[in-house]
Amino acid sequence: ALVLGVDANSSDLEAIRSLKDRYQNFDIIESAISSSDQIRDLIINNGIQVLKSDIEEAESHLFDLDDETFSLVEEYYIETHNDDLYNQCINKLTNCGYNVYDQIALVQTNEVCKVIFARK
């Protein structure tokens, strides 16, 4: 299975670059997520089955995916950064038939940020 990391923060990526040397199926892309087309291409071109998303208030690009593409992913871990994004996330997951099996409110953000865990 391929593990693919996408992050715009060079210093964060530098901290995990050693994993690329140790694991055959590990790759890193330095890029900001700026569109649903970009996410769609990552999912389709890499056969992504589990997607962990923490894209600093750009989660709406993920929720703008068409339901068919969104549903290609078997399991999601999505960090939302405000109540509107949280509601969009729950609606998208529900509409696409996912089971939300856990949620965490991040105390260090005064519980504004929430992580949602869902699978088909």
Side-chain angles (χ1 to χ4, degrees):
L2 171 69
V3 174
L4 178 64
V6 179
D7 200 312
N9 188 323
S10 295
S11 61
D12 286 350
L13 288 175
E14 194 57 41
I16 61 170
R17 282 204 201 282
S18 64
L19 294 174
K20 189 173 179 177
D21 297 331
R22 288 191 278 163
Y23 297 101
Q24 206 171 22
N25 294 326
F26 186 90
D27 201 4
I28 300 169
I29 298 172
E30 186 171 341
S31 176
I33 299 297
S34 58
S35 73
S36 59
D37 288 342
Q38 185 182 14
I39 296 172
R40 183 198 66 235
D41 291 347
L42 286 166
I43 290 170
I44 291 172
N45 295 339
N46 296 288
I48 300 208
Q49 297 174 356
V50 177
L51 191 148
K52 188 268 184 192
S53 171
D54 177 9
I55 48 180
E56 308 306 322
E57 296 190 26
E59 296 88 358
S60 60
H61 299 307
L62 179 60
F63 310 139
D64 286 341
L65 285 172
D66 64 90
D67 290 351
E68 183 179 343
T69 302
F70 187 88
S71 296
L72 292 172
V73 176
E74 295 175 24
E75 190 158 0
Y76 281 99
Y77 314 126
I78 302 170
E79 182 173 323
T80 60
H81 291 86
N82 61 50
D83 289 340
D84 183 50
L85 290 169
Y86 171 82
N87 291 328
Q88 287 179 47
C89 182
I90 294 298
N91 288 337
K92 186 71 167 183
L93 290 166
T94 301
N95 291 341
C96 291
Y98 286 83
N99 173 40
V100 175
Y101 64 88
D102 205 356
Q103 297 184 50
I104 300 169
L106 302 179
V107 176
Q108 67 270 30
T109 67
N110 292 322
E111 300 186 2
V112 171
C113 293
K114 297 173 182 69
V115 182
I116 300 144
F117 301 85
R119 68 171 71 100
K120 286 250 169 191

